[in-house]
Amino acid sequence: ALRIIETEEMWCSVLPLLVSLSPAVLFLLQLPGYTTTQEGHWEDYKYGPQGSELRDKKHFCSWKCLLFTLQWPGGFCQSLNKETLCRIPQSINNWTIHGLWPLRVRSCCECWPMFHSDIQELEAELTEYWPSLLKIKSSFHFWKEEWEKHGACAACVEGMNSPLRYFQICLKLRGQFDIHKLLEDAGITPSCEQPYKVVEVHQVLAPHLGDRHEIQCVTDDKV
């Protein structure tokens, strides 16, 4: 399993994107009018600001970028300390969503709860593309947790200013980048017997996702 984080600036009226792949694939969304030209800013995007200039800010809307994360279910389970905690629904055989996360935010407003009725019309799609992979957590619990931890901050943008809109955006992003098909068309398919080199995966994805990325492997101690 592997992880790719990559950036791709897109100059358009919607949020520009930055993508990654892994047991998780990550997309960095950049707000219009906010650009980066220095290499050091990439570290801020990944890990948050390293200095103290934003440390004391308490604005839930101080973020400039969003990170969209997809995960390969088998890779996610392998990354757990206890794989027995993992549960992959039989219908799931593709990349699933893990979250859409505003960066540089310490915490989100706890004043916006989410109820099942808020996303009921999306439930079938969310169950297919955003299931919980943990036995101890239901899918709705997972979605609710992601909204409270991240969605309430993302709601600072009008296009995501409700649980329904937030999850709609996530589903649209999932549909926009078919990582599975890109790899499959290049002969790279999930396998426990056939290993692939990181450079092979990079060569397939770079033309579609951009050149700037990072790959991390999930290793098997038994190998």
Side-chain angles (χ1 to χ4, degrees):
L2 49 95
R3 179 178 206 140
I4 300 173
I5 305 175
E6 71 178 271
T7 57
E8 178 185 359
E9 292 186 2
M10 299 170 60
W11 305 102
C12 52
S13 58
V14 295
L15 293 176
L17 295 176
L18 170 151
V19 202
S20 99
L21 162 84
S22 125
V25 179
L26 318 175
F27 297 73
L28 185 62
L29 310 179
Q30 182 177 316
L31 290 177
Y34 186 86
T35 62
T36 59
T37 56
Q38 298 181 15
E39 291 293 322
H41 289 175
W42 171 234
E43 294 302 312
D44 282 353
Y45 286 157
K46 289 168 57 184
Y47 307 116
Q50 304 304 301
S52 60
E53 67 276 5
L54 295 178
R55 194 168 293 161
D56 297 324
K57 283 194 174 183
K58 297 182 179 179
H59 298 105
F60 303 124
C61 300
S62 62
W63 56 270
K64 299 295 182 183
C65 296
L66 292 157
L67 196 64
F68 179 60
T69 306
L70 298 178
Q71 60 192 2
W72 181 252
F76 170 80
C77 292
Q78 187 180 355
S79 70
L80 297 176
N81 292 329
K82 294 183 178 180
E83 292 187 38
T84 55
L85 295 175
C86 200
R87 171 199 58 197
I88 302 177
Q90 291 185 351
S91 60
I92 303 301
N93 189 31
N94 210 320
W95 297 86
T96 62
I97 299 171
H98 187 73
L100 178 62
W101 311 324
L103 301 183
R104 301 183 174 186
V105 176
R106 296 180 66 87
S107 63
C108 293
C109 178
E110 298 179 357
C111 58
W112 197 335
M114 188 183 93
F115 302 96
H116 185 267
S117 58
D118 292 329
I119 46 90
Q120 192 166 7
E121 66 184 78
L122 301 177
E123 187 167 10
E125 284 185 273
L126 290 172
T127 298
E128 179 178 359
Y129 297 115
W130 199 336
S132 170
L133 301 177
L134 294 176
K135 294 178 180 178
I136 59 175
K137 185 181 297 184
S138 69
S139 288
F140 178 72
H141 185 150
F142 184 22
W143 307 331
K144 185 173 183 290
E145 189 176 76
E146 288 298 305
W147 166 257
E148 292 174 347
K149 286 185 177 180
H150 310 289
C153 286
C156 296
V157 173
E158 184 175 0
M160 294 182 285
N161 62 354
S162 71
L164 178 63
R165 289 185 175 184
Y166 171 75
F167 287 103
Q168 283 176 329
I169 290 293
C170 292
L171 290 170
K172 286 181 180 179
L173 288 171
R174 170 59 181 79
Q176 184 173 348
F177 295 93
D178 194 341
I179 305 300
H180 187 88
K181 187 176 188 305
L182 292 175
L183 295 175
E184 188 175 55
D185 288 349
I188 297 178
T189 57
S191 172
C192 293
E193 291 76 34
Q194 174 62 49
Y196 299 99
K197 295 180 180 179
V198 171
V199 66
E200 294 178 294
V201 179
H202 164 58
Q203 289 173 345
V204 172
L205 297 180
H208 305 278
L209 306 180
D211 288 329
R212 191 172 189 181
H213 55 267
E214 171 183 299
I215 300 177
Q216 300 174 344
C217 295
V218 175
T219 60
D220 187 343
D221 294 335
K222 298 177 183 178
V223 176

